[in-house]
Amino acid sequence: AQSVTQPDIHITVSEGASLELRCNYSYGATPYLFWYVQSPGQGLQLLLKYFSGDTLVQGIKGFEAEFKRSQSSFNLRKPSVHWSDAAEYFCAVGARQTGANNLFFGTGTRLTVIP
Amino acid sequence: ETGVTQTPRHLVMGMTNKKSLKCEQHLGHNAMYWYKQSAKKPLELMFVYSLEERVENNSVPSRFSPECPNSSHLFLHLHTLQPEDSALYLCASSQEPSYNEQFFGPGTRLTVL
């Protein structure tokens, strides 16, 4: 069965510092991988996705993620965090079932940005 | 309207009430989803509709009843809910095939008294 682990429940970084959010997945085949961000009171917005090809994926808002098959990881990175990046971040793995796409989400990492 | 909209944004109901959540997608997608988001837990997929047919029902209690009258609209009918059903209910849509991402609505914050 598919599963996603985000080991960090809460991370605090200073504005301008670099950021890495960890994500490990479990899936028997080549996964589809996603990072979403959720601001308070809002739905989830897609930051980036990986399906195949280049293992370093660029997303919106200056985020990038690297797929490492040997480590079953898909960590999210940003070189310089802005105060507006404070939000909850969710990693998800996609699995093709009969019918539509199913996503399995991690429990999320809450990011706090301090001045 | 653009994207995925959900109404109402907030709902408070008693355990004996009947209410419905509405989701509408303006993206021309052919698949729609209901998720439940509770604190400290991963998003739980409740129902999936593809081409207006239910293709997934993840052991959801019968007090939740989905309806998908067409590819743009999705409802979640609620009756005799329990306080533990209080959560954020998110609707999403996508365009098959499966490598297309899901687009989420803002959610309905449900409180069951």
Side-chain angles (χ1 to χ4, degrees):
Chain A
Q2 300 82 11
S3 67
V4 176
T5 301
Q6 293 182 248
D8 303 306
I9 296 174
H10 186 199
I11 285 182
T12 299
V13 299
S14 299
E15 191 169 14
S18 62
L19 171 70
E20 182 170 32
L21 302 182
R22 296 183 291 167
C23 172
N24 292 96
Y25 67 89
S26 173
Y27 184 56
T30 299
Y32 305 144
L33 295 162
F34 305 81
W35 273 102
Y36 283 86
V37 61
Q38 185 179 33
S39 298
Q42 301 297 316
L44 278 68
Q45 180 185 21
L46 181 73
L47 285 176
L48 47 78
K49 59 188 178 184
Y50 170 80
F51 297 133
S52 65
D54 193 345
T55 56
L56 184 63
V57 179
Q58 302 297 320
I60 62 171
K61 304 184 181 184
F63 286 93
E64 66 177 27
E66 186 171 12
F67 170 56
K68 293 185 177 180
R69 183 187 301 275
S70 62
Q71 299 177 19
S72 297
S73 69
F74 189 56
N75 294 347
L76 182 71
R77 300 193 294 251
K78 186 170 184 177
S80 177
V81 170
H82 188 262
W83 64 267
S84 60
D85 294 325
E88 185 123 24
Y89 292 79
F90 294 92
C91 182
V93 60
R96 177 67 175 173
Q97 307 278 350
T98 54
N101 174 34
N102 290 350
L103 293 183
F104 296 85
F105 285 84
T107 50
T109 297
R110 180 169 299 279
L111 174 65
T112 297
V113 180
I114 56 176
Chain B
E1 296 277 14
T2 59
V4 181
T5 58
Q6 290 185 244
T7 55
R9 294 294 308 276
H10 300 271
L11 178 62
V12 179
M13 59 187 289
M15 289 190 285
T16 58
N17 291 158
K18 289 184 180 181
K19 297 287 184 182
S20 295
L21 309 185
K22 179 183 176 182
C23 175
E24 184 173 0
Q25 59 96 359
H26 310 268
L27 301 168
H29 289 165
N30 57 14
M32 297 186 75
Y33 312 77
W34 279 117
Y35 288 88
K36 177 183 179 182
Q37 186 178 29
S38 305
K40 307 288 191 259
K41 295 175 66 176
L43 268 72
E44 301 172 55
L45 179 64
M46 300 175 72
F47 301 104
V48 181
Y49 278 82
S50 179
L51 300 174
E52 300 161 39
E53 290 189 15
R54 191 189 310 178
V55 296
E56 189 86 19
N57 178 353
N58 284 345
S59 302
V60 178
S62 59
R63 56 186 184 268
F64 295 91
S65 175
E67 178 190 1
C68 187
N70 55 61
S71 60
S72 299
H73 293 87
L74 185 65
F75 295 89
L76 188 62
H77 304 298
L78 317 170
H79 64 98
T80 59
L81 294 191
Q82 305 298 311
E84 59 265 29
D85 297 322
S86 299
L88 182 68
Y89 288 84
L90 292 165
C91 174
S93 71
S94 70
Q95 181 66 24
E96 288 293 271
S98 62
Y99 51 77
N100 286 316
E101 66 268 24
Q102 294 179 19
F103 290 79
F104 285 80
T108 294
R109 173 68 62 186
L110 174 66
T111 302
V112 182
L113 302 177

